[in-house]
Structure formats: structure tokens, C-alpha cells
């Protein structure tokens, strides 16, 4: 690749790609997110768009420039991910830019495989790497096996499979063998354990069992078994409302089904009010309370239990579900499964040389309580997260997966091919475990079991749903291994081979700080590194690791030789040492810098890197910049791509960086020393052009600052070191303070339209900028301090005074008019105070007092006053109370101004 600028370094359709990236969250059929869980996986849309834009040259021709932007926007759509015409065009463009050869691309933090998959789609030679063995296996099934074995061939067939091909069909052998052996596994499992999920006499089958954990009431006069349930809803839809109704007989809590088509619920019964919240439980028999510490102690002492309270039924071929209360017969069947579990467990332990039920310890995550908190309730091994029938089902399926692999070899399958087929079956079992554990809740809205990893944590669940893995419901073997995995194999197998003859993507396990590649080897590095403690990858992936070890561990001894996933060199900010968080933070920053140094080493001199940053604080952003600079990589652009739905962002109480920042970096020959005064002047000149371009891209708020900083680093990074007039080195954090002031001035002028920012005070400037950046959200102190500093305000001085800046724990909040009291505004001549006071008086109908306030302040007939009000309104969402007040107020501004001009002295506060 030449030294010319790449398209991504000059421009990028941020808005269009952001929309597609957010929309992709709702796509399931064939998307790699349904192959297997991986946390914080990048959207395919943004990965495809940024990879392509980084591999094609920039253009000075306006027509070509527009055509490329439009192509990138269209190509980012999920519907076009298999559009062969667009793929061929993208590959042709990239080959031309790379001298006719496919670019060699590396992702040293491959994770869930999104970024390298999109590089593969673009025709690149793809190499991917990860430290975590679960990630490596997922990537092999995403990148390597579909390319090696998933290409369609013409075959003669006797239609022996249930999906029934006809003669001379074009068949994807990998897909068909995963179908065949997935069916074999299910049928073999049914033969053995179907009796533990018996159908009703009328043909309805159980698809779920609702369980409540129990503790004894601590009232010595009661001591009843207390069912712990967060709520009692079973179905809560517009046309179907069904719940469990608890009632007491003697000292026994019983249940009945009430609601539509069942017995009518009592008028005073609220199914939303359960018996437990935040570990504080209430006895339904005597009303006694059990505090959270006592609840946890009872679990730790083994005095807690569980009780099946309801059965969910469904008839194949019919819509809807029905419910009944669990019976003694249901519990007897469950106990039979328990007895069979012990028998089977002993047998498999002898065969496998390992306990088939995961007995590995559930390692306590050295981060915030709540990420994995089940150990507080006595769950100390991974097997403790499953009830007996779930354990039986999972070890039975695991046994059948292993047997399927042996059968393939017995039938003469190629060893590596059988390993690939077995790997998908192993992922099917691993994926099913996400739905078959005692931490899954019942979704009353969709009437189905919800998988445990709805978020990046394993929290305690009081009442849980046990699904029937032999059914066709979401989470079952048929759903996981049949429908979801097959669709992914089919979709990604459509990606045609790259131009390099016989090349297959290479996936390796190793640390990003020690890459097994020669110097100057890659044309591009595209990657998404971890961010401090955002996701405890290794601790969460242990959940899957222990089951994968029991299904495909023998096929991958290099990946599954350790008891749990490796953690010592994981690049995260956890610390088990005496230094706690500070040691962990320092460890992360040092390891991140080493990984960037490795990227610098393996990248060709004219190569390009795209690094995704998604940490929530600007402090982390500054650390990343310094790490890049120390590695020798220089940022040449930064684009914020929003990957979340706007409705979700507006609902956030605390502001974080809304977007993932795609950083473009290069290996650039650096000048030895720059003097900061000169560098600062160069920054101003460069940013004056760059900021206008970023504004035209529609980038706003906190993202605008980040993108501007990315541009500024290109100037700062040209020098090996920058020194001030005293000869002291200047680091990125100091430079960023100056950049913020430049960006602040530009942003305020733009927000206020055509610039009259010199006519307003620092506090007004700060308020306008805050609303534009963060709307009404709380902001962590350091980010708030930096924004205030760019407006020449010391925020710590301001929050102790009457005003609109308030401290809220570790956050800072800027109050709107409806959060303020008129008494705190009285006498102030600050524009925002007068505006807030006027809005409150207007709302309360105190018109004369409002007119007096506007007149005495001198702002009532001031054009700047109303333009500021208009600017604030434009920054706020439509549902904001402040915006509604402002808009009503502004509609009457001309009448107000006329009244002030002609009025006499009126009453004041």
C-alpha cells in the first residue's frame, strides 16, 4: 500500500454507518452473534465499513468522493453483506490500492470474530489472535472452518437426511454434516432422557418449569418455607395476563394459576410484588422480614432450598402456552432424574477421567460486586449454577457430542474435518448451557426462558426457569444447534475464497503482547482491544469453557489443558495483589502499551491500523493516546460510530461516551523535538479546518471532542517529544487541555449560530456546552472538570454555591429550571439564572414578577438572551421538560420584548 492517505483518514459517513450499526442489534438470522455468545462484539456494519475505508485511497475528486461515501453507506447494510456485486467491487478497489495483491490483515484481539470476518469478506488474507481459548474456538468456527470445508459441491444423494436433498443437489458438506450429526445427537439424547420430560395425556409437552429458591422463615414461631420470588407474573401481554397466586394453608405456601382463561385473580392482588427484593425477603405466612445478610448466610450454610411451583406447556403445531401448578408427580420425576444423574455421573467420570459436571471453582472476580455475585449465595463451583435435571441433560448431550465425533471417525471421515463438525456440536452444547441453568428468568412478555448472559454479568436470580432442552423452544438443542448455528454456517459459507490461492484464515491463541509474526509483515491491523475493567472476559467465559472442555477439549488439548481460562496475562485492569485497583490499572496500561508496540513491529512501514476504543471515560482515552504515542503509532483520524439505539442513549441516567471511536494510526517517521508554542499554533491552524469538516459530518456532543482530539494527535504525534519553554516534556494530557479550549470555542459558536459566544459569560458558555454534550445526564467528575476547565471554570468551586452545578456522589449534574428553586436564583444577574427564573415564573403564571425579573436584569430585550434560550432548546430531546418550557417561552418572546420596552417599573421578587 502506498504512503497516500486512506479514505478513512479523510472522511467517513459516520451518521449512515451509525444507523446501520445500531439497527444490526436486532438482526438474528445468520448473524454471527447467534453462533455463540461473546461480549462487546463489534457490529459487522461498522467493521465492514471502516475496514474498507481504511484499505482504499482518499480522493480529491468530489464526484468520486461522493460515490465512495454512498457505496460505504450502502455496503454497511446487513442486507448487502452477501451482495456479490458490492463485494466484488470492494475487493477490486482494495486489490487495486494494494498493487494487485490481497492485503495481509491482522486482528490481535480477535474476540468474537466480527472485525476479521469483515476483512475476510473484503478479500484480505486474515490472521486473527486471542488469548482466550473460548474466543479462539469461536473464531475457528467463524473464519476458518466455513472457508476450509463450507464450499458447496455437487453430489449424488439418496435423500437419506430428513431435510431431503434431491439427486445432483449442490450441497454445503459442512452444513449438511452438522445437520446430520446434530440430529443424531438429539435423537440419541431423547432415547435416554426423554422420560424426564413427559408429555401430558392431551399431547401438550412441558417446555419450562418455574422454580423458586426457598429459605426458612427466621421467626421461631413460624419457620415456614419461604418461596423467594421477585414477582408472580407468568404472562403479561395486551391480550393475555396470567400469574401465580400465592396463598397460605396452615404454614405452607401454595399456589394457583389465575388470570385470563383461569380462575379470576383477587382485586387486591398485584403480581408485580414478590417476596424478595435485593436479598430482603418477606414471609408470606407471618409477614416477618429477613434481612439481606441473613438471606446470604442461610444460603452459605446450606439452609436454602428450591421448589418447583409451575409447569409451562405447549402443543407442537399450536400457538400459545398454558400453565399449571407443579405437582408431586412432577417432583418425583425430577427426583428420578437426580438419581439417574448420580449413576451416569459416576459412569462418565470413569470414562472421561474428569467429573462430567463442572467441578472447577467459580473464581471470585476482583472487580465490582455484582459482576459475578453468586458465590455470595454458596455457589462455589460452576456445576452449582445448574439444577440436577439440567446437569443430567447437559452431560448427556456432551456425551453424545463426543460419541458423534467417534462415529464420524469410525465411518472414515477425515480427522480434521470431523474435528470441525464436532466443534460446531460443542458450540451448540455450550450455547444451550446459556439457557439451561438456574440463573435464567422467565420472560412474562414473550413467555419464554431468557438466557443468563443478557448482560455482562452472572447475578443471583431468586426464581428461575428450567427449559426442556428436547423441545423446539428457544434455548433448546434444536433451537441452538439446528436453527441458529446452521444459519450462521450457511451465511458465512457464502463468503467466496480470497484471491490468494488456497489461503484459509489463520486463528491462533497467544497474547497480543507477544505476536508470532515477523517484523513489517502486515498491510493493516484492525482490532478492538479490551478497556480497563469494562468486561471480565476470562471470568465470564469460564462458564462456557468448562462445558467446551468436556465436549471438544480432547480435540483441542492446546486450548483446554488448564482448569479454567488463562488469566495471568489477560490485558484487563483487575488485580488480586495488594495494590488493588491501582496495580491493576497500571498493569493494564503497561500491557496495552506493549500490545501497541507489537502492532507497530508487525505493521509494514506504509501500513495502516484501525483501533476501536469504547471506554466510558476520557481519562481512559488519554491513557490510550499516550500508549499509542509511546509505541510509535501516530493517530491520523478518529471517527465516533454510534452502535446503540438513540432511545436507549436518551434513557441513560449517567453520560458515557455514546460511541465506539475508530482510531486510525500509522507508522510515521517522527521529527525529534517540537517546541510546544510552535506545535500549539500548528494545532490551531490544523483544527480550524478539521473541526468544520467534523461538524459537517453531523458529529456532536462528547463525540465531537473525541474526534477533534483524534485529529489533533496527528500534529502532536509528529514529534518524538514536545517540550515547553522550560525544556520540560509535554504529554498528551496537557496538550488535550489546549485542544479542548479550541474545540469548546468552536462548538459554542456553532451551537449559538454564526457566533456571538464572545457576548456571553463563562458560566453561560459552560451551560450551553453541557446541554449540547450531555443533555440532562450525570457525568463523572473528571470529565465534568475538563469541560468546565475549557470554559475557564473551576467546577469544584461552583458546586458548593447556589446555582445549577451540583455534585452527586462521584458525578456532576447540571440542573435544569424544573430542578431549581426560585429562592436560589433571586438577585443573580447570570444569564442562565435569569432564564431559569423566568421559565419557573412563566410556568407558575406569575407574569408580572417574570417581567420585573427580565427588566431589572437588563436581559429582557437582549437578543443574546433569546438566542441562548433557542440554542439550549435545540440541544435537548423533544421529550425534555426543559425544552418544552423553553419552546413555550420562546413563542411569546416578541410580546415579552414589546412589553418590557413599554412597561413601567413593576414588582420584583
Amino acid at each position: 500500500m502506498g504512503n497516500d492517505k486512506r479514505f478513512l483518514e479523510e472522511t467517513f459517513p459516520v451518521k449512515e454507518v451509525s444507523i446501520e450499526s445500531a439497527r444490526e442489534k436486532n438482526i438474528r438470522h445468520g448473524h454471527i452473534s447467534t453462533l455463540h455468545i461473546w461480549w462487546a462484539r463489534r457490529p459487522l456494519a461498522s467493521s465492514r465499513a471502516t475496514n474498507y475505508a481504511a484499505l482504499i485511497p482518499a480522493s480529491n475528486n468530489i464526484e468520486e468522493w461522493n460515490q465512495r461515501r454512498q457505496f460505504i453507506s450502502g455496503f454497511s447494510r446487513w442486507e448487502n453483506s452477501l451482495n456479490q456485486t458490492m463485494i466484488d467491487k470492494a475487493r477490486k478497489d482494495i486489490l487495486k490500492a494494494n498493487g494487485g495483491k490481497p492485503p495481509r490483515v491482522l486482528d490481535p484481539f480477535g474476540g468474537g470474530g466480527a472485525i476479521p470476518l469483515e476483512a475476510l469478506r473484503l478479500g484480505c488474507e486474515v490472521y486473527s489472535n486471542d488469548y482466550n481459548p473460548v474466543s479462539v474456538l469461536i473464531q475457528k468456527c467463524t473464519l476458518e472452518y466455513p472457508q476450509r470445508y463450507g464450499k458447496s459441491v455437487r453430489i449424488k444423494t439418496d435423500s437419506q437426511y430428513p431435510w431431503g436433498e434431491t439427486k445432483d443437489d449442490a450441497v454445503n458438506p459442512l452444513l449438511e454434516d452438522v445437520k446430520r450429526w446434530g440430529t443424531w445427537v438429539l435423537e440419541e439424547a431423547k432415547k435416554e432422557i426423554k422420560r424426564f420430560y413427559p408429555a401430558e395425556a392431551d399431547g401438550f409437552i412441558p417446555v419450562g418449569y418455574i422454580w423458586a429458591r426457598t429459605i426458612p422463615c427466621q421467626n421461631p414461631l413460624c419457620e415456614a418455607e419461604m418461596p423467594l420470588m421477585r414477582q408472580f407474573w407468568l404472562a403479561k401481554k395486551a391480550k393475555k395476563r396470567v400469574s401465580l397466586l400465592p396463598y397460605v394453608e396452615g404454614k405452607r405456601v401454595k399456589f394457583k394459576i389465575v388470570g385470563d382463561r383461569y380462575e379470576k385473580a383477587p382485586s387486591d392482588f398485584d403480581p408485580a410484588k414478590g417476596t424478595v427484593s435485593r436479598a430482603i425477603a418477606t414471609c408470606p405466612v407471618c409477614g416477618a422480614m429477613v434481612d439481606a445478610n441473613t438471606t446470604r448466610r442461610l444460603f452459605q450454610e446450606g439452609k436454602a432450598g428450591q421448589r418447583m411451583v409451575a409447569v409451562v406447556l405447549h402443543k407442537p403445531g399450536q400457538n400459545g402456552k398454558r400453565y399449571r401448578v407443579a405437582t408431586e408427580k412432577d417432583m418425583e420425576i425430577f427426583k428420578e432424574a437426580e438419581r439417574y444423574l448420580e449413576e451416569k455421573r459416576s459412569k462418565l467420570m470413569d470414562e472421561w477421567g474428569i467429573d462430567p459436571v463442572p467441578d472447577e471453582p467459580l473464581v471470585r472476580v476482583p472487580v465490582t460486586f455484582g459482576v459475578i455475585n453468586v458465590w455470595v449465595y454458596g455457589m462455589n463451583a460452576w456445576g452449582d449454577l445448574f439444577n440436577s435435571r439440567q446437569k443430567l441433560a447437559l452431560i448427556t448431550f456432551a456425551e453424545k457430542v463426543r460419541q458423534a465425533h467417534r462415529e464420524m471417525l469410525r465411518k472414515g471421515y477425515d480427522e480434521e474435518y470431523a474435528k470441525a463438525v464436532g466443534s460446531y456440536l460443542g458450540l451448540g452444547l455450550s450455547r444451550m448451557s446459556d439457557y439451561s441453568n438456574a440463573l435464567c428468568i422467565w420472560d412474562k412478555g414473550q413467555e419464554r426462558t431468557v438466557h443468563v448472559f443478557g448482560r455482562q454479568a452472572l447475578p443471583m436470580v431468586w426464581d428461575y426457569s428450567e427449559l426442556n432442552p428436547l423441545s423446539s423452544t428457544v434455548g433448546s438443542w434444536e433451537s441452538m444447534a439446528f436453527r441458529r448455528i446452521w444459519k450462521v454456517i450457511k451465511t458465512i459459507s457464502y463468503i467466496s475464497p480470497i484471491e490468494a490461492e488456497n489461503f484459509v484464515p489463520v486463528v491462533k491463541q497467544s497474547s497480543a503482547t507477544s505476536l508470532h509474526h515477523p517484523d513489517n509483515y502486515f498491510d493493516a491491523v484492525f482490532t478492538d482491544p479490551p478497556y480497563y475493567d469494562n468486561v471480565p472476559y476470562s471470568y465470564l467465559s469460564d462458564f462456557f469453557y468448562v462445558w467446551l472442555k468436556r465436549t471438544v477439549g480432547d480435540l483441542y488439548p492446546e486450548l483446554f489443558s488448564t482448569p479454567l481460562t488463562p488469566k495471568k496475562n489477560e490485558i484487563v485492569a483487575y488485580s488480586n495483589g495488594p495494590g488493588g485497583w491501582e496495580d491493576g490499572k497500571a498493569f493494564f496500561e503497561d500491557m496495552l502499551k506493549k500490545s501497541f508496540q507489537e502492532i507497530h513491529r508487525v505493521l509494514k512501514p506504509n501500513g495502516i491500523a484501525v483501533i476501536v476504543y469504547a471506554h466510558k471515560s476520557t481519562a481512559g482515552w488519554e491513557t490510550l493516546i499516550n500508549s499509542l504515542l509511546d509505541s510509535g503509532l501516530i493517530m491520523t483520524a478518529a471517527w465516533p460510530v454510534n452502535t446503540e439505539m438513540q432511545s436507549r442513549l436518551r434513557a441513560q441516567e449517567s453520560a458515557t461516551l455514546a460511541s465506539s471511536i475508530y482510531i486510525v494510526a500509522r507508522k510515521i517517521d517522527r521529527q525529534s523535538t517540537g517546541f510546544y508554542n510552535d506545535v500549539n499554533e500548528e494545532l490551531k491552524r490544523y483544527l480550524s479546518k478539521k473541526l468544520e469538516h467534523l461538524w459537517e459530518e453531523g458529529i456532536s456532543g462528547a463525540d465531537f471532542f473525541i474526534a477533534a482530539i483524534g485529529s489533533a494527535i496527528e500534529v502532536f504525534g509528529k514529534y518524538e517529544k514536545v517540550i515547553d519553554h522550560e525544556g520540560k516534556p509535554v504529554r498528551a494530557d496537557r496538550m488535550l487541555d489546549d485542544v479542548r479550549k479550541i474545540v469548546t470555542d468552536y462548538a459554542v459558536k456553532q451551537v449559538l449560530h454564526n457566533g456571538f459566544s464572545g457576548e456571553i459569560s463563562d458560566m453561560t458558555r459552560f451551560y450551553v456546552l453541557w446541554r449540547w454534550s450531555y443533555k440532562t445526564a450525570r457525568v463523572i467528575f473528571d470529565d465534568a472538570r475538563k469541560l468546565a476547565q475549557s470554559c475557564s471554570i473551576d467546577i469544584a468551586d461552583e458546586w458548593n454555591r447556589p446555582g445549577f452545578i451540583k455534585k452527586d456522589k462521584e458525578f456532576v449534574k447540571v440542573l435544569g429550571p424544573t430542578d431549581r428553586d426560585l429562592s436560589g436564583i433571586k438577585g443573580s444577574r447570570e444569564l442562565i439564572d435569569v432564564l431559569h427564573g423566568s421559565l419557573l415564573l412563566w410556568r407558575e403564571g406569575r407574569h408580572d414578577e417574570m417581567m420585573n425579573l427580565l427588566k431589572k436584569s437588563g436581559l429582557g430585550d437582549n437578543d443574546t438572551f433569546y438566542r441562548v434560550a433557542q440554542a439550549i432548546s435545540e440541544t435537548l430531546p423533544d421529550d425534555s421538560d426543559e425544552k418544552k418550557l423553553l419552546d413555550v417561552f420562546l413563542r411569546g418572546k416578541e410580546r415579552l420584548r414589546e412589553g418590557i420596552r413599554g412597561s413601567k417599573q413593576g414588582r420584583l421578587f
Side-chain angles (χ1 to χ4, degrees), residues 505-606:
V506 177
V507 181
K508 296 289 186 184
Q509 184 201 19
S510 69
S511 170
T513 62
S514 182
L515 299 172
H516 303 302
H517 300 289
D519 296 354
N520 306 316
Y521 191 67
F522 291 101
D523 297 291
V525 175
F526 302 144
T527 195
D528 174 27
Y531 317 108
Y532 286 90
D533 62 339
N534 272 20
V535 181
Y537 293 100
S538 63
Y539 295 92
L540 294 176
S541 62
D542 281 342
F543 179 95
F544 299 115
Y545 180 89
V546 295
W547 288 111
L548 288 168
K549 184 164 64 171
R550 285 159 174 79
T551 53
V552 297
D554 289 347
L555 306 182
Y556 297 93
E558 73 282 7
L559 295 180
F560 296 97
S561 60
T562 53
L564 293 168
T565 58
K567 296 174 176 61
K568 182 180 179 182
N569 292 316
E570 184 183 19
I571 304 178
V572 288
Y574 311 137
S575 174
N576 289 300
W581 164 250
E582 287 304 319
D583 273 3
K585 180 174 176 289
F587 172 80
F588 168 79
E589 292 171 0
D590 181 61
M591 294 288 276
L592 186 67
K593 181 172 72 174
K594 287 178 180 176
S595 71
F596 288 157
Q597 288 170 341
E598 277 291 87
I599 290 172
H600 182 278
R601 180 184 66 79
V602 301
L603 191 63
K604 289 180 179 178
N606 57 353

Side-chain angles (χ1 to χ4, degrees), residues 228-281:
L228 303 178
M229 299 194 72
R230 61 199 161 85
Q231 53 93 51
F232 296 104
W233 282 112
L234 295 172
K236 188 180 181 185
K237 300 178 177 180
K239 296 183 179 179
K240 185 178 182 182
R241 299 170 80 84
V242 181
S243 66
L244 282 162
L245 173 68
Y247 64 97
V248 177
E249 281 189 2
K251 289 190 177 181
R252 174 78 170 165
V253 181
K254 294 187 174 183
F255 296 92
K256 62 176 68 173
I257 309 293
V258 297
D260 298 331
R261 299 184 184 179
Y262 298 89
E263 180 181 331
K264 187 177 181 181
S267 59
D268 61 347
F269 174 56
D270 183 358
K273 294 181 179 178
T275 62
V276 63
S277 176
R278 297 182 180 274
I280 302 170

Side-chain angles (χ1 to χ4, degrees), residues 14 618 621 625 635-640 657 661-663 682-695 697 699-717 732 735-747 772:
V14 172
T618 55
W621 168 247
I625 290 171
M635 195 183 308
T636 59
W639 301 103
L657 292 180
I661 313 299
Y662 285 74
I663 300 162
E682 189 178 354
L683 270 176
K684 292 176 183 176
R685 291 193 299 272
Y686 183 76
L687 282 177
S688 65
K689 298 178 182 178
K690 193 70 176 181
L691 293 177
E692 183 176 354
H693 184 56
L694 295 173
W695 190 271
E697 290 287 350
I699 300 169
S700 64
D703 289 338
F704 187 76
F705 285 84
I706 293 296
I709 288 168
S711 302
I713 292 297
E714 184 175 3
V715 174
F716 189 79
M735 181 275 299
L736 294 180
D737 287 340
D738 289 336
V739 170
R740 282 192 193 91
K741 290 176 182 177
I742 297 170
V743 177
T744 294
D745 186 57
Y746 180 88
W772 177 69

Side-chain angles (χ1 to χ4, degrees), residues 778-817:
R778 299 182 306 166
V779 176
I780 58 175
F781 168 74
D782 192 51
D783 286 353
R785 177 187 64 79
K786 289 167 183 171
L787 187 70
Q789 190 176 43
S790 69
C791 297
S792 303
I793 291 171
D794 186 334
I795 204 164
D797 284 347
E798 296 299 330
W799 71 46
N800 293 319
R801 301 176 183 174
F804 56 78
I805 301 174
K806 295 298 176 186
K807 187 174 184 294
D808 182 8
K809 298 179 181 177
E810 71 271 32
F811 298 96
V812 171
K813 187 173 178 65
V814 166
L815 303 181

Side-chain angles (χ1 to χ4, degrees), residues 475-527:
S476 66
W477 176 264
E478 181 178 327
S479 169
M480 294 295 99
F482 285 27
R483 296 196 293 266
R484 297 196 178 190
I485 288 180
W486 294 351
K487 286 177 181 177
V488 174
I489 295 172
K490 183 177 181 179
T491 300
I492 57 184
S493 292
Y494 282 133
I495 298 174
S496 55
I498 66 166
E499 298 293 326
E501 188 175 353
N502 298 323
F503 180 83
V504 174
V506 177
V507 181
K508 296 289 186 184
Q509 184 201 19
S510 69
S511 170
T513 62
S514 182
L515 299 172
H516 303 302
H517 300 289
D519 296 354
N520 306 316
Y521 191 67
F522 291 101
D523 297 291
V525 175
F526 302 144
T527 195

